[in-house]
Amino acid sequence: MLILLPPSETKRSGGEAVPLDWTTLAYSALTAKRRVLARALVALARHPEAARTALKLGRTQLFEIDRNRELMTSPTLPVIDRYTGVLFDGLDAATLSAAQRQFAHAHLVVHSALLGPLAALDPIPAYRLSHDSRVPNVTLASHTLKQHWSAAVATVLSQTGGLLLDLRSEAYVALGAKPVRPDSLYLRVVADSGDGQKRALNHFNKKSKGEFTRALLQHEHDFTTASELIDWAQSVGIRLGQGAPGELELVVEQHLAAAGRPAASTIYSGVRLGA
């Protein structure tokens, strides 16, 4: 089983005083493309105004340019510890056991705009690059990060075997499509508001993906088929089932905000929210 997650715009600072080492990253076939993009990003950071424009940074985000300039020498952290934000709050990697973290390293991949797919414990520095960023010498008017990455990433993903669960956003799917085969499935998250209607989820989409990924890592089982995964999920109160062709559907219970109660959601059915 392989779980594909999107990255986060926000990253945790600091880490071990060991700089980025290309040989420690999963999917070594991507090393050349990683190097080209990293060198271009460092070069861009030497021109702050151009970097601010290319990375679409506000005045309070200019520290991100310093991060990029120091990319090759700054401290590193494991992938699942580096990223922050709603999805990674739901994953809460810091509270996983050592065994669960090792399981994550074998079965969880985060798709970085800068470095491509990365295994959970690969050591990486803090950086700023989005799926739609424009980097001189790599992305021109007719050449985007999609064109830089899509064929190479699709190739390495096609070489993976077993059940593949794609939890990425559409923007990151565009940077490298999952293989087309019966056991390669996109996870769609929908909300059940209690009226029998299922609706697309917004803010809680990321939270739910993080919580579902955490549940999989805590279970530490290498599922081989979608039916096996669905049976387990339903046995623990997670409403997972077949969706549209090529998709699984995760149904999340959502309570909208009310007087004295914030909006809330859970991937577990029958759980009383806001108690």
Side-chain angles (χ1 to χ4, degrees):
M1 176 182 66
L2 190 68
I3 308 160
L4 288 176
L5 291 182
S8 171
E9 293 280 13
T10 56
K11 323 280 189 307
R12 186 169 286 106
S13 297
E16 297 291 328
V18 179
L20 179 63
D21 180 351
W22 304 110
T23 66
T24 64
L25 304 182
Y27 307 109
S28 60
L30 301 176
T31 299
K33 286 191 171 290
R34 288 166 170 162
R35 286 179 179 272
V36 166
L37 189 49
R39 284 197 298 266
L41 192 61
V42 171
L44 175 63
R46 298 191 185 106
H47 305 279
E49 279 304 310
R52 185 179 69 82
T53 300
L55 302 175
K56 302 176 183 178
L57 300 176
R59 290 295 177 183
T60 62
Q61 299 172 306
L62 298 183
F63 68 93
E64 301 279 17
I65 299 173
D66 295 331
R67 282 180 163 181
N68 287 353
R69 187 169 54 249
E70 299 163 0
L71 180 71
M72 303 308 300
T73 58
S74 58
T76 54
L77 278 173
V79 166
I80 54 175
D81 298 323
R82 176 64 73 193
Y83 293 107
T84 60
V86 176
L87 189 154
F88 290 92
D89 287 346
L91 175 58
D92 196 10
T95 62
L96 294 173
S97 70
Q100 290 163 355
R101 288 172 66 88
Q102 286 301 319
F103 183 83
H105 192 55
H107 297 283
L108 176 63
V109 165
V110 179
H111 189 169
S112 161
L114 173 62
L115 300 169
L118 297 163
L121 300 184
D122 285 356
I124 63 168
Y127 67 90
R128 180 62 178 249
L129 188 71
S130 302
H131 64 89
D132 59 351
S133 296
R134 298 278 182 171
V135 183
N137 300 323
V138 175
T139 63
L140 306 173
S142 60
H143 190 80
T144 62
L145 285 181
K146 176 182 177 180
Q147 290 165 302
H148 179 77
W149 279 123
S150 59
V153 170
T155 296
V156 298
L157 293 180
S158 71
Q159 294 168 353
T160 63
L163 182 63
L164 187 151
L165 301 176
D166 192 349
L167 280 66
R168 296 174 298 171
S169 59
E170 292 182 3
Y172 280 89
V173 170
L175 298 189
K178 66 179 179 62
V180 178
R181 60 177 196 246
D183 59 355
S184 175
L185 300 163
Y186 183 79
L187 182 75
R188 190 168 300 281
V189 183
V190 297
D192 181 352
S193 298
D195 58 3
Q197 298 295 315
K198 295 177 182 177
R199 300 177 177 85
L201 216 56
N202 42 39
H203 170 79
F204 292 119
N205 181 300
K206 294 180 180 180
K207 174 178 179 285
S208 301
K209 287 179 177 179
E211 291 176 346
F212 180 66
T213 300
R214 179 179 176 83
L216 289 172
L217 300 181
Q218 288 181 312
H219 188 55
E220 295 183 65
H221 181 74
D222 184 9
F223 293 101
T224 57
T225 67
S227 59
E228 181 189 15
L229 172 62
I230 290 170
D231 286 346
W232 164 78
Q234 294 179 351
S235 75
V236 297
I238 297 174
R239 293 173 61 187
L240 182 71
Q242 296 286 351
E247 296 185 0
L248 294 180
E249 186 177 79
L250 175 64
V251 181
V252 174
E253 293 194 6
Q254 179 181 17
H255 288 182
L256 302 178
R261 188 188 70 192
S265 71
T266 179
I267 63 171
Y268 295 98
S269 62
V271 174
R272 185 182 176 191
L273 298 173

